[in-house]
Amino acid sequence: MDRQNQPTSPQSGEHAKHEEKNKGGTLGRLVVPIVVFIIILAAALAVTKCTSVGGSGNSVSGQTLDRSASGGVGGNIEDTESDMYASYTPDSRTIGKNDISSDYAILIDLENNTVLASKKGDEKMYPASMTKMMTLIVAAEHAENLDDTFEMTTAITDPLFLENASVAGFLNGEQVTLRDLMYGLILPSGADCAVALAIYTAGSEAAFADMMNEKVAELGLKNTHFMNPTGLHDENQYSTCHEIALILEYALRDDFMRTVLSTYKYTTEKTPQHPDGITLYSTMQSRMYGNEAPGMFILGGKTGYTTEAGTCLASYAVKYDKDTEKEDDLKSKTPGYIFVSAHGGNVWAPIFDAINMYATVVDPNALETKQVSAR
């Protein structure tokens, strides 16, 4: 709020009355009611000003916020507070330089909405294919029928081949259901599926990126901006581990998206191009069983990698008693914890980082004692 444009305060009005009273005479008697009128008008303006700022949260001084990508995420949303953010507490730990391999990380307790541990968790980084969780959210929320189909084309697949992007493997002319595209998007991190979903939903990748940023604004995220649905590197595509965790948490509230994010193996519909379908495997769950952290079970998530982003992983877990609980029943439990890391080293680094950090939920001394080493 621009303080230079605030209405005259009642105190300044009283000062004016005092000066005129010293002058006396008819002029003084006329000024008193005028000043009273000014005071009343000033109070009314002040109430109107407060209403414009605090009303719906969608306007500042009566001006509608630009929620589009052209307006940018960094500027307009900085003034928007979100109750999604996990709180730092006196017990929140700073993850040491040598505790994990990744340069950025955050561990969040979903039940209490608190940060358990962080390593530059609120600093901007490149999200790589963790981006595809927002792609899933936007595509799923705008899909009316998951059995609708989209025709894959070489215009989609050829550029991705040249960029050495990961793909699910659908071929030119293949009619692929939206459901299969969404599983292909998350499990093998298929960029072909990301582009197909973007074109189906919005007509182009650019228009879909606008929709992604509209969702960013809706969630009240302050340091996230998307330029494409694939996660391929763009210096203007960024987030933080904290906000990637919030995106994952949001997706987990939906039964279908939670199922996709926690599936290890999935076979697509049969087509002339793939008579047996395509068997897809999770890039995360193919590198872990899920029960490596004592007392915890890592149920699902999304990996990511580019040269600039390093190896990344967003995952979620629940507490697990192997003596009393069956693994098959864990997916129905409310997600308990989220761990996100970015800019790791080799392909195993974020996996071991996640195992180590989830272990600290059960054993707070785990980082100071024996660790699984990713080096």
Side-chain angles (χ1 to χ4, degrees):
M1 185 182 296
D2 187 352
R3 295 185 182 276
Q4 293 182 346
N5 294 327
Q6 292 304 297
T8 305
S9 66
Q11 287 81 0
S12 62
E14 292 295 337
H15 178 73
K17 285 200 294 181
H18 178 71
E19 290 297 321
E20 292 301 330
K21 183 176 181 181
N22 288 339
K23 292 180 181 180
T26 304
L27 180 59
R29 290 192 296 273
L30 290 173
V31 168
V32 172
I34 292 174
V35 171
V36 171
F37 173 77
I38 291 174
I39 293 172
I40 295 172
L41 179 60
L45 288 173
V47 171
T48 302
K49 176 75 74 174
C50 292
T51 302
S52 296
V53 174
S56 65
N58 293 325
S59 62
V60 177
S61 299
Q63 298 298 314
T64 301
L65 286 179
D66 181 6
R67 299 297 194 180
S68 67
S70 60
V73 172
N76 292 325
I77 306 177
E78 288 295 341
D79 296 327
T80 302
E81 294 297 330
S82 172
D83 58 4
M84 288 183 64
Y85 284 90
S87 301
Y88 285 85
T89 72
D91 294 326
S92 298
R93 298 181 57 184
T94 298
I95 302 172
K97 181 179 180 181
N98 297 318
D99 289 334
I100 60 174
S101 298
S102 302
D103 290 331
Y104 305 85
I106 198 165
L107 176 64
I108 292 176
D109 177 343
L110 296 178
E111 181 179 359
N112 297 303
N113 198 32
T114 56
V115 175
L116 297 178
S118 176
K119 182 180 184 181
K120 298 194 291 186
D122 287 282
E123 293 187 20
K124 289 181 181 178
M125 51 74 180
Y126 296 123
S129 284
M130 293 189 294
T131 294
K132 293 186 176 83
M133 294 189 297
M134 180 60 88
T135 304
L136 174 66
I137 289 170
V138 174
E141 290 188 342
H142 287 82
E144 295 183 359
N145 186 350
L146 293 177
D147 291 321
D148 282 351
T149 60
F150 177 86
E151 183 175 336
M152 190 62 67
T153 67
T154 54
I156 293 174
T157 58
D158 285 357
L160 296 175
F161 176 79
L162 294 175
E163 292 192 68
N164 198 31
S166 57
V167 295
F170 296 109
L171 300 177
N172 182 54
E174 189 166 7
Q175 297 289 332
V176 188
T177 67
L178 299 186
R179 180 183 292 101
D180 288 352
L181 287 174
M182 291 180 194
Y183 276 96
L185 172 77
I186 297 299
L187 272 63
S189 198
D192 49 350
C193 300
V195 177
L197 288 168
I199 294 173
Y200 176 89
T201 304
S204 70
E205 289 185 78
F208 189 83
D210 287 345
M211 296 174 68
M212 295 170 75
N213 289 318
E214 289 171 2
K215 195 66 183 183
V216 166
E218 179 185 323
L219 297 180
L221 305 181
K222 302 174 184 178
N223 295 297
T224 296
H225 188 256
F226 294 110
M227 296 295 292
N228 62 64
T230 61
L232 290 171
H233 181 67
D234 188 300
E235 64 179 8
N236 293 315
Q237 180 146 304
Y238 53 81
S239 188
T240 69
C241 287
H242 197 157
E243 295 191 357
I244 289 295
L246 299 182
I247 291 171
L248 174 56
E249 179 186 4
Y250 180 87
L252 294 176
R253 298 175 188 175
D254 178 84
D255 290 341
F256 171 71
M257 286 189 272
R258 186 171 65 252
T259 298
V260 173
L261 287 161
S262 62
T263 295
Y264 163 62
K265 178 181 176 182
Y266 175 85
T267 302
T268 65
E269 296 288 333
K270 298 177 180 180
T271 65
Q273 292 82 359
H274 290 99
D276 297 322
I278 303 175
T279 301
L280 308 172
Y281 295 92
S282 165
T283 54
M284 187 199 85
Q285 295 191 51
S286 61
R287 298 170 191 166
M288 65 166 67
Y289 288 105
N291 60 357
E292 289 85 351
M296 300 291 293
F297 203 99
I298 306 171
L299 289 170
K302 183 71 192 73
T303 58
Y305 171 77
T306 64
T307 301
E308 297 81 4
T311 52
C312 308
L313 176 63
S315 62
Y316 77 100
V318 296
K319 286 190 174 181
Y320 167 56
D321 185 341
K322 64 180 181 180
D323 295 326
T324 61
E325 294 182 294
K326 296 180 179 179
E327 292 183 15
D328 291 341
D329 297 330
L330 296 178
K331 290 183 180 181
S332 62
K333 294 183 69 172
T334 300
Y337 304 90
I338 284 179
F339 178 70
V340 178
S341 64
H343 209 258
N346 61 63
V347 69
W348 295 100
I351 301 296
F352 289 129
D353 286 348
I355 293 169
N356 286 333
M357 291 308 303
Y358 282 124
T360 68
V361 173
V362 177
D363 180 7
N365 297 316
L367 288 180
E368 284 76 24
T369 57
K370 184 178 179 180
Q371 295 187 65
V372 178
S373 176
R375 298 181 181 87

